[in-house]
Amino acid sequence: MIPWDLLESKKVTLNNVPCLIVRPTASKRKFPTLFHYHGWGSKKENHKFLGTIFALYGYQVILPDSNFHGDRNPLKEYTNENMMKYFWNIVNQSVTEFQEIKEEAKNFYSVDENAIAVSGSSMGGYIGSTIFAKNLDVQCLITFNGGSSWRKTEEVMKKYLDINIEKMLDREQAREFDPLTYKESFYPRPILMLHGDVDTSVPIEIQRDFYQEVVPFYQEDQDRICLQEYHNMNHHISIKMVESAVKWLQKYLNPNSIKNTYL
């Protein structure tokens, strides 16, 4: 039986952003902390169960709402038209907000500044990838069916959706927020990408392109970058993906500091 009284969950506001925190009950130690971002049309509460799983292994999980989602002026409909209108601005805003969210969390919620990771699902994977790329103090990245190559995203959108990304984002912004712009600074920080091989929302070609671009910088230790493809899986998060994510965190995110695990 899981000792639920050993976990706490509460809504907080960090940098004026509504967030949900799930973690082991307060202790004197600082927590290895995972910032997790939801996808398009979702909200922080929809990922509470995932956060709970990580918390049961000793991690503090902070789940922000992205703009126009959850408690932040949610849209009435998350249509393709609205996605074209808002998607990239939401991604860029979430990336820009992260620094202050992280600093407030460090000040008030016992974040171990030497053990910070970021993860995200779908749109959250785009957010998390750029946060990881632009913030060298983020030690680890995990994406669930996300996109880490904006260059390939542009190509895929034109090919499959007949969408011209240049109409949604100017070239200078695309370069600033594309994780691959910063690829030479990634190693040795670990990167795990979890993706269905028949994903019709974020095609796996995007992550394959990112992996091929980045893996040459990990020649010294290629175990630190991994693209796990899940056969015949569309745009979903599976139990196996979650298991892989937990193992990745235990291996790379300051595991020696995690004393209380419940599973």
Side-chain angles (χ1 to χ4, degrees):
M1 183 176 179
I2 297 173
W4 293 108
D5 60 325
L6 296 179
L7 295 181
E8 61 180 355
S9 172
K10 57 184 176 182
K11 289 187 175 182
V12 301
T13 300
L14 299 172
N15 188 31
N16 298 315
V17 175
C19 299
L20 179 67
I21 293 182
V22 187
R23 66 179 187 175
T25 50
S27 69
K28 293 181 180 180
R29 69 182 178 90
K30 292 187 175 182
F31 293 103
T33 299
L34 173 68
F35 293 86
H36 178 80
Y37 286 84
H38 63 75
W40 170 257
S42 188
K43 57 184 178 180
K44 59 187 182 302
E45 287 83 3
N46 291 350
H47 290 253
K48 181 179 178 180
F49 183 73
L50 179 60
T52 298
I53 294 174
F54 292 127
L56 286 168
Y57 282 90
Y59 297 92
Q60 173 172 246
V61 185
I62 299 177
L63 305 101
D65 269 333
S66 290
N67 200 12
F68 302 117
H69 290 75
D71 294 324
R72 299 182 70 182
N73 305 310
L75 302 175
K76 291 182 178 180
E77 294 182 306
Y78 292 90
T79 60
N80 285 340
E81 181 179 358
N82 276 337
M83 182 175 69
M84 291 177 62
K85 182 177 180 180
Y86 294 107
F87 184 91
W88 293 109
N89 287 333
I90 291 171
V91 170
N92 294 352
Q93 182 175 352
S94 294
V95 171
T96 302
E97 292 170 341
F98 173 75
Q99 188 67 25
E100 290 301 321
I101 290 176
K102 180 194 66 181
E103 290 304 314
E104 285 198 25
K106 286 165 61 177
N107 289 337
F108 297 105
Y109 295 103
S110 303
V111 173
D112 182 347
E113 63 183 26
N114 295 312
I116 297 174
V118 65
S119 65
S121 169
S122 192
M123 179 183 75
Y126 281 91
I127 294 168
S129 296
T130 303
I131 287 173
F132 174 83
K134 297 186 73 172
N135 294 271
L136 297 179
D137 57 347
V138 175
Q139 285 87 15
C140 180
L141 169 67
I142 299 173
T143 66
F144 298 90
N145 306 310
S148 303
S149 170
W150 289 31
R151 175 191 67 188
K152 193 66 176 181
T153 298
E154 177 180 11
E155 178 183 318
V156 166
M157 281 186 166
K158 286 181 178 179
K159 179 178 179 181
Y160 294 109
L161 302 176
D162 195 28
I163 295 174
N164 187 348
I165 195 174
E166 291 184 356
K167 294 181 179 180
M168 304 161 63
L169 191 70
D170 68 49
R171 184 58 55 187
E172 185 175 340
Q173 279 186 307
R175 174 170 173 75
E176 179 186 355
F177 287 91
D178 186 347
L180 287 176
T181 300
Y182 309 90
K183 61 186 178 182
E184 294 182 6
S185 68
F186 291 171
Y187 185 81
R189 295 180 294 156
I191 299 171
L192 175 64
M193 295 166 284
L194 308 162
H195 217 105
D197 67 357
V198 292
D199 192 324
T200 56
S201 297
V202 183
I204 196 169
E205 290 94 328
I206 295 169
Q207 296 303 72
R208 288 172 178 165
D209 180 73
F210 178 85
Y211 180 84
Q212 291 167 3
E213 284 288 319
V214 175
V215 72
F217 297 95
Y218 282 74
Q219 291 302 310
E220 191 172 328
D221 187 357
Q222 289 194 17
D223 288 343
R224 286 179 169 267
I225 184 168
C226 180
L227 171 59
Q228 291 186 9
E229 299 188 13
Y230 292 81
H231 179 63
N232 205 30
M233 179 179 290
N234 203 322
H235 198 62
H236 306 290
I237 297 176
S238 69
I239 294 297
K240 186 64 177 177
M241 285 180 175
V242 177
E243 179 185 13
S244 293
V246 169
K247 289 180 177 178
W248 194 261
L249 288 176
Q250 287 186 307
K251 182 176 182 180
Y252 289 115
L253 194 67
N254 200 13
N256 291 330
S257 72
I258 303 170
K259 299 178 181 178
N260 299 315
T261 57
Y262 312 121
L263 292 181

